[in-house]
Amino acid sequence: MTQSVDTLVILGASGDLTSRLLLPAIGQLLTDQPTRSVTLIGSSSDDLDDDAWRAIVSKSFSTVDARGDTVEKLLKETRYVKADATSADDLKSLLGEATGVPALYFALPPAVTAKACEALQTLDLPDGLTLALEKPFGTDRESAVRLNATLATLVPEDRIHRVDHFLGRSSVFNILGVRFANSILEPLWDGLRIQRVDVIYDETLALEGRARYYDGAGALVDMIQSHLLQVMAVLAMEPPSTLGEADLRDAKELVLRATKVWGDDPVAASRRARYAAGEIDGTTLPAYADEAGVDPSRETETLAEVTLQVDTWRWKGVPFTLRSGKALGSRRREMVITFTPAQHIPTGLSGTTEPAKLRLLFAPDSMSLELNINGTDDPMKLERTTLTADFGPGALLAYGEVLEGILDGDPSLSVRADTAVECWRIVEPVLAAWHDGRVPLEEYPAGSGGPGDWAPLG
């Protein structure tokens, strides 16, 4: 049985990820679960003292109205240790500051995380040590295999948390309830009754100062290779016996192992584009190529779309299209399951015959089922109607759900080693085709819906 964590050490504590996502999640978790106790240590190479660190933590906690005795205790006791995360000596000293069972959270770029893990190989590590890593896990399949090999020399797999915060979203949990707890849907969940599946995550946000990371990743690696493949795996997996970490992660892995580019043709099955100058909500944006820190010669895409197939009996012939982009005219975050058209509509009925669609939406979490019904004015004319349900925000932020698993020693919401490699394997043919210039890099004005000749999804 994996032990719970007593001390959480955040490497890269002065960075945006820590202040914007990790610390608010910790504050919310302690507010929601006031009996929980954890010591927090922040560390980075920046010159901060304990007071400056506490000010960062307090400011982040205020964004989620964190309060209570447990929160106050953490704020009083948290401390900061300056350290180079790639230095074995610094890491040894840092781990010596931790009491009880420690966890190291690498809020660092992937290359720095890999070097830090190599440095840990030279140390005698404390019992029960847990490691938490941010995506992407490696930069390609080969580097992911190497990183997994390094991690395996440090701690057991069940104490390695490869963090994909999309797995902490209530929306992803909602898939499990909607699909498996309703006999009206589960018998329809296959290629005989489902025509296509689209997973869409369009943002109005542009680069937002993230060139250092994003220009080396792009939309395909940043969103599809990680987040959206995880969502797709939950949508497509076979019913697990339990939601325990072994059953749940086995079910996702089996789906991803059966997934490949549609028709084994990455040129026909993928599209890429980047935003040109435009306007969003009254704000004028420069072209991506002109953003500070961007190297235009890299031809980094800001909009990516890939169609995949899952080679199992359940999903034979069903295209899964995953799309994500930045600086688009409207935010769209949803999973769209389009059912097959009705087999026969009696003569005499007219109007819409569009297939039924189930939409599962992210943030805010809700669902809708689009159906054809008899018209209110003319019962012989079919009209479209939508049944909706609101799932609510969930008790915790997505990072709160993930951190809860890390602190409790439950890796259910973490990405397993084999799954991390499979995700790279799936997108590698597309990355190669793009790198070779076999798929053109198109453009779209910021604030638009994307290139005009791209067919809409969902």
Side-chain angles (χ1 to χ4, degrees):
M1 180 69 178
T2 304
Q3 296 171 286
S4 59
V5 167
D6 300 301
T7 301
L8 177 63
V9 182
I10 300 178
L11 302 174
S14 61
D16 176 68
L17 171 66
T18 298
S19 60
R20 186 169 54 88
L21 295 172
L22 291 180
L23 293 177
I26 293 169
Q28 188 191 51
L29 182 60
L30 295 181
T31 301
D32 185 68
Q33 301 174 12
T35 60
R36 179 182 292 276
S37 177
V38 64
T39 299
L40 177 65
I41 299 175
S43 180
S44 75
S45 58
D46 289 349
D47 288 316
L48 298 175
D49 58 21
D50 289 347
D51 288 339
W53 166 242
R54 288 191 187 102
I56 292 172
V57 178
S58 181
K59 183 178 179 180
S60 294
F61 279 13
S62 69
T63 63
V64 291
D65 193 24
R67 59 184 181 272
D69 292 342
T70 308
V71 169
E72 293 303 319
K73 182 176 183 291
L74 181 142
L75 285 171
K76 180 180 178 181
E77 297 178 352
T78 188
R79 58 194 186 278
Y80 178 84
V81 179
K82 181 179 178 180
D84 175 358
T86 64
S87 164
D89 288 339
D90 284 7
L91 288 171
K92 181 178 180 180
S93 298
L94 187 57
L95 287 170
E97 295 280 337
T99 57
V101 177
L104 286 179
Y105 196 111
F106 298 88
L108 299 167
V112 180
T113 296
K115 290 180 180 178
C117 291
E118 290 168 6
L120 287 173
Q121 287 181 303
T122 66
L123 304 179
D124 290 328
L125 301 177
D127 292 339
L129 175 66
T130 291
L131 304 177
L133 298 79
E134 282 283 331
K135 65 93 181 174
F137 314 114
T139 54
D140 54 25
R141 177 165 52 166
E142 183 179 339
S143 63
V145 170
R146 287 198 305 270
L147 178 59
N148 285 340
T150 299
L151 292 169
T153 67
L154 301 175
V155 299
E157 176 63 29
D158 64 358
R159 285 196 263 121
I160 301 169
H161 294 254
R162 296 168 190 82
V163 174
D164 189 322
H165 72 274
F166 265 51
L167 294 177
R169 287 187 179 275
S170 297
S171 313
V172 177
F173 286 117
N174 292 335
I175 298 171
L176 303 177
V178 168
R179 177 182 167 187
F180 296 129
N182 293 285
S183 61
I184 194 173
L185 287 177
E186 176 56 20
L188 307 181
W189 216 259
D190 58 38
L192 296 176
R193 292 289 180 261
I194 292 178
Q195 187 178 64
R196 62 175 298 118
V197 176
D198 299 312
V199 183
I200 304 152
Y201 203 88
D202 288 349
E203 301 180 272
T204 56
L205 294 175
L207 189 56
E208 304 292 315
R210 296 178 65 215
R212 183 178 178 183
Y213 161 71
Y214 193 87
D215 201 43
L220 180 62
V221 169
D222 183 46
M223 289 296 300
I224 293 176
Q225 184 273 337
S226 53
H227 300 320
L228 301 193
L229 276 176
Q230 293 295 320
V231 171
M232 188 205 80
V234 176
L235 272 169
M237 69 184 183
E238 294 301 309
S241 298
T242 72
L243 294 186
E245 62 93 6
D247 289 341
L248 185 59
R249 300 206 292 179
D250 282 349
K252 288 195 301 170
E253 167 64 13
L254 289 172
V255 169
L256 293 171
R257 201 182 303 165
T259 300
K260 64 179 183 178
V261 173
W262 184 261
D264 288 317
D265 187 348
V267 175
S270 70
R271 299 189 288 193
R272 60 177 180 146
R274 68 180 177 188
Y275 64 81
E279 183 178 299
I280 298 178
D281 295 332
T283 299
T284 300
L285 292 177
Y288 176 81
D290 296 328
E291 294 268 23
V294 168
D295 179 358
S297 65
R298 284 179 169 167
E299 295 196 335
T300 299
E301 81 287 351
T302 60
L303 175 62
E305 186 177 297
V306 179
T307 299
L308 305 170
Q309 63 188 65
V310 180
D311 285 342
T312 63
W313 72 267
R314 183 182 294 274
W315 297 113
K316 181 177 175 59
V318 179
F320 287 77
T321 299
L322 281 51
R323 163 186 158 133
S324 182
K326 287 187 171 295
L328 293 160
S330 60
R331 192 179 80 163
R332 187 180 178 199
R333 302 174 176 181
E334 62 179 341
M335 301 159 270
V336 186
I337 296 93
T338 301
F339 293 93
T340 54
Q343 291 186 324
H344 172 68
I345 297 176
T347 302
L349 284 177
S350 62
T352 181
T353 57
E354 188 178 352
K357 293 183 180 182
L358 175 65
R359 299 180 186 271
L360 298 165
L361 286 77
F362 295 107
D365 297 338
S366 63
M367 65 170 283
S368 66
L369 179 62
E370 300 174 7
L371 300 169
N372 302 323
I373 64 169
N374 297 86
T376 52
D377 296 326
D378 182 354
M380 301 300 287
K381 187 174 183 179
L382 298 174
E383 295 178 353
R384 198 72 166 172
T385 193
T386 303
L387 309 178
T388 62
D390 184 359
F391 290 124
L396 297 172
L397 296 167
Y399 264 95
E401 299 278 5
V402 170
L403 281 167
E404 183 180 32
I406 293 170
L407 297 179
D408 290 344
D410 179 4
S412 299
L413 298 183
S414 299
V415 176
R416 203 167 61 187
D418 50 358
T419 296
V421 174
E422 286 299 326
C423 288
W424 281 114
R425 192 262 316 159
I426 291 165
V427 301
E428 268 189 348
V430 178
L431 289 169
W434 292 6
H435 179 267
D436 296 342
R438 288 181 282 147
V439 176
L441 179 65
E442 302 179 55
E443 282 198 341
Y444 60 97
S448 70
D453 60 343
W454 286 27
L457 297 179

